[in-house]
Amino acid sequence: QVQLVESGGGLVQAGGSLRLSCAASRIIFSIDDMGWYRQAPGKQRELVAYIRRFRLPTYAESVKGRFTISGMNANNTVYLQMNSLKPEDTAIYYCYARQTGVTRLSWGQGTQVTVSS
């Protein structure tokens, strides 16, 4: 199965930026799409962004214009560039990958993002 390793979380002030990385163990051609969910305390898990190879990415309304997902087409690593961060972006961010021909998603271990006011 695809193994995913996440990195890039941390503590930043409101208005700052972070770049999350998610590295997959398999070649890019075996993965249909990759993306990020986030889980904040007391809130339902939210799909933040995802991207399919050679397709335009899709974003949650809450992050449009601020977050950018990229990297899938070039290698086995996907990135989530998060700009203009807000305290409400505070959550654990989990990357996922959907392997070709496999219904069940592969998941990263999660990385904490904390945005202070």
Side-chain angles (χ1 to χ4, degrees):
Q1 297 190 83
V2 176
Q3 302 293 323
L4 303 177
V5 179
E6 298 184 55
S7 63
L11 173 63
V12 298
Q13 292 182 314
S17 298
L18 285 173
R19 188 195 191 203
L20 306 185
S21 299
C22 181
S25 63
R26 294 183 179 271
I27 60 173
I28 194 68
F29 302 104
S30 70
I31 299 174
D32 289 339
D33 60 90
M34 298 179 68
W36 299 83
Y37 285 84
R38 66 185 180 187
Q39 181 74 64
K43 293 187 176 182
Q44 187 172 288
R45 187 177 65 178
E46 177 186 26
L47 178 59
V48 177
Y50 70 92
I51 188 169
R52 299 179 67 185
R53 191 181 303 109
F54 301 114
R55 303 286 186 90
L56 293 175
T58 299
Y59 300 96
E61 185 176 2
S62 59
V63 306
K64 285 181 179 178
R66 300 188 297 118
F67 290 12
T68 303
I69 187 170
S70 64
M72 181 179 174
N73 293 337
N75 49 45
N76 290 338
T77 302
V78 66
Y79 305 95
L80 185 66
Q81 179 67 45
M82 305 185 295
N83 298 325
S84 302
L85 283 163
K86 305 174 181 179
E88 50 263 44
D89 294 318
T90 296
I92 302 176
Y93 286 70
Y94 299 90
C95 70
Y96 77 85
R98 183 163 62 89
Q99 186 177 356
T100 301
V102 180
T103 300
R104 189 177 298 275
L105 300 178
S106 297
W107 293 93
Q109 80 279 10
T111 184
Q112 176 70 47
V113 171
T114 303
V115 184
S116 65
S117 59

